[in-house]
């Protein structure tokens, strides 16, 4: 993997540093309801501030489609940001380019923070326009990208700025890239992957990339039903993409060629409907009744996964094994999550997980802080697992020479 610069490689004292963050946080009636994404930027902000930097924050929020929308302003982020910075005052610019931004930057002193207005109020952000990127670049001396969650987008503040100013990865971006490199780019083998979720069709590129890189591929969720169907196993009333049988056969063929072992459920938890604590049974996958749905992997499958992971050194995980939001169909995911956490704590497994549902499932299982690394970057994490080049990351590598 090509090297990238970090904050340790920059002389930031007295400099104007443009920091791309992802403050696209949940908000209701102008009040931030979950400040996790702001919290995750704190290591970078605190590092820069203690070194006497003028910190200029760039972020998008929502989908204003290139037009200013008061309902999508970043102004409500000022208070939670100041709270997290222990009361340090944060200035605000009514625009991210032009006179409002330039005047606000000019008034900034060393060790102070400025938040610019929503980048997506300008079409040039998502269009990656040169003129817009030039206007942003005028505001800073250095550029720091700390928003891996946007790295899969070739937007002006993500890709173009890194080619206009000396650039580096922030602490969050650095942590993410280092763990991802250890997980798939330069892993300790054997490598396992757990892939769940509803549909094979949404994860074709992911599966195609993984069978070339891992030695064990665990398939769960609704995806497993499609695989079972392709092998001639009746899956009753379960969610199943029956038209994907040929695609599954191709994935299986490629896995065999790459010496990748695909592990499918051998037993399952079935019910007539998906509802909390609805009557349910555990059956062998070949004995699923016509009127029942597979809603979770069974205990024998969970135990088999646990044992197989004990022989692995690296794990990447994307997608739950069952309908984890509804008890008791969270049991399979919970059992495997606990096993992964234990193996990680024992130093036997490097565990990297990501994707919205995966993060939620691990949180419900109570192991979110017990894995090696859990990425909050949904789309970027998935595209990385698919083996795609992420524009924001590539720009940082190119900038490093």
């Amino acid at each position: 993997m090509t090297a990238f610069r970090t904050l340790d490689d920059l002389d930031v004292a007295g400099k104007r540093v443009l920091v791309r963050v992802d403050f696209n946080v949940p908000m209701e009636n102008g009040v931030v309801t979950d400040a996790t994404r702001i919290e995750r930027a704190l290591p970078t902000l605190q590092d820069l501030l203690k070194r006497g930097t003028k910190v200029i924050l760039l972020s998008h929020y929502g989908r204003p489609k290139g037009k200013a929308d008061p309902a999508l302003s970043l102004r409500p982020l000022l208070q939670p940001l100041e709270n997290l910075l222990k009361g340090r005052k944060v200035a605000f610019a009514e625009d991210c380019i032009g006179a409002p931004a330039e005047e606000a930057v000019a008034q900034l002193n060393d060790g102070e923070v400025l938040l610019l207005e929503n980048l997506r109020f300008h079409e040039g952000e998502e269009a990656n326009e040169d003129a817009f990127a030039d206007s942003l670049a005028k505001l800073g001396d250095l550029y720091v990208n700390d928003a891996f969650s946007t790295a899969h987008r070739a937007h002006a503040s993500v890709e173009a700025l890194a080619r206009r100013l000396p650039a580096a990865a922030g602490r969050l971006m650095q942590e993410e890239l280092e763990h991802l490199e250890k997980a798939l780019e330069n892993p300790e083998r054997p490598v396992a992957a757990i892939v769940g979720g509803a549909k094979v069709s949404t994860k074709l590129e992911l599966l195609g990339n993984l069978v070339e890189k891992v030695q064990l591929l665990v398939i769960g969720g609704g995806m497993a039903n499609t695989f079972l169907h392709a092998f001639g196993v009746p899956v009753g009333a379960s969610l199943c993409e029956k038209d994907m049988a040929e695609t599954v056969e191709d994935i299986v063929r490629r896995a065999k060629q790459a010496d990748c072992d695909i592990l499918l459920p051998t037993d399952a938890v079935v019910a007539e409907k998906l509802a909390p604590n609805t009557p349910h049974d555990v059956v062998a996958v070949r004995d699923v009744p016509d009127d029942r749905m597979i809603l979770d992997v069974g205990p024998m499958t969970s135990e088999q996964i646990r044992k197989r992971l004990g022989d692995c050194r690296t794990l990447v995980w994307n997608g739950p094994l069952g309908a984890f939001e509804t008890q008791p169909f969270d049991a399979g995911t919970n059992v495997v999550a606990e096993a992964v956490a234990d193996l990680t704590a024992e130093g036997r497994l490097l565990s990297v997980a990501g994707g919205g549902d995966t993060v939620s499932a691990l949180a419900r299982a109570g192991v979110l802080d017990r894995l090696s690394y859990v990425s909050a970057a949904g789309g970027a994490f998935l595209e990385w697992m698919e083996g795609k080049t992420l524009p924001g990351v590539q720009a940082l590598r190119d900038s490093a020479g």
Side-chain angles (χ1 to χ4, degrees), residues 35-55:
T36 301
R37 288 187 172 182
I38 302 176
E39 292 170 358
R40 298 193 80 175
L42 287 180
T44 291
L45 303 187
Q46 292 167 340
D47 188 314
L48 291 171
L49 290 170
K50 74 180 182 181
R51 292 159 68 183
T53 307
K54 298 179 177 72
V55 176

Side-chain angles (χ1 to χ4, degrees), residues 14-221:
K15 301 289 181 60
R16 302 170 302 164
V17 180
L18 298 176
V19 184
R20 181 48 161 107
V21 291
D22 183 2
F23 285 174
N24 190 28
V25 297
M27 214 182 302
E28 291 182 9
N29 301 317
V31 177
V32 174
T33 57
D34 183 351
T36 301
R37 288 187 172 182
I38 302 176
E39 292 170 358
R40 298 193 80 175
L42 287 180
T44 291
L45 303 187
Q46 292 167 340
D47 188 314
L48 291 171
L49 290 170
K50 74 180 182 181
R51 292 159 68 183
T53 307
K54 298 179 177 72
V55 176
I56 304 158
L57 301 176
L58 311 173
S59 183
H60 72 283
Y61 179 70
R63 300 181 182 276
K65 299 181 179 179
K67 297 180 181 180
D69 181 350
L72 297 178
S73 172
L74 293 184
R75 183 178 283 279
L77 275 62
L78 289 176
Q79 191 60 57
L81 182 55
E82 290 178 350
N83 292 343
L84 290 169
L85 289 172
K86 308 300 183 184
R88 185 187 294 266
K89 184 69 176 176
V90 178
F92 184 72
E94 299 293 341
D95 202 346
C96 60
I97 60 171
E102 292 170 12
E103 291 170 6
V105 170
Q107 295 174 17
L108 207 58
N109 295 315
D110 295 349
E112 292 184 346
V113 183
L114 169 67
L115 175 64
L116 302 183
E117 184 57 284
N118 195 338
L119 292 161
R120 291 187 182 174
F121 283 177
H122 294 268
E123 293 180 350
E125 164 64 1
E126 293 183 82
N128 202 12
E129 289 181 356
D130 287 341
F132 182 71
D134 290 341
S135 295
L136 290 175
K138 284 173 58 178
L139 304 175
D141 304 305
L142 304 170
Y143 169 74
V144 170
N145 191 339
D146 208 31
F148 179 79
S149 53
T150 68
H152 59 309
R153 300 188 175 108
H155 292 175
S157 68
V158 175
E159 196 268 349
L161 268 182
R163 303 186 186 282
R164 283 166 167 75
L165 296 172
R171 295 304 184 200
L172 179 60
M173 174 74 86
Q174 177 185 353
E175 184 180 23
E176 189 102 27
L177 294 178
E178 288 175 349
H179 278 93
L180 297 189
E181 179 179 4
K182 291 177 183 177
L184 274 189
E185 300 299 329
N186 187 29
E188 187 173 352
R189 297 173 182 270
V191 184
I194 297 175
V195 181
K199 297 182 178 181
V200 171
S201 58
T202 62
K203 297 191 176 180
L204 284 178
E205 293 178 274
L206 169 61
L207 295 171
N209 184 51
L210 288 179
V211 295
E212 304 285 344
K213 293 192 172 186
V214 307
Q215 288 70 61
L216 173 65
L217 177 58
V218 178
I219 305 289

Side-chain angles (χ1 to χ4, degrees), residues 272-316:
E272 292 184 359
K273 61 181 180 179
L274 177 58
N277 301 310
T278 191
H280 57 280
D281 297 294
V282 176
V283 299
V285 291
R286 293 189 176 276
D287 297 326
V288 176
D290 292 342
D291 63 344
R292 300 290 184 92
M293 297 183 290
I294 297 175
L295 295 172
D296 193 14
V297 298
M300 288 180 58
T301 301
S302 299
E303 178 62 15
Q304 186 179 17
I305 295 171
R306 188 189 67 78
K307 287 183 177 179
R308 292 294 301 274
L309 290 179
D311 296 326
C312 296
R313 296 295 296 164
T314 305
L315 169 70
V316 290

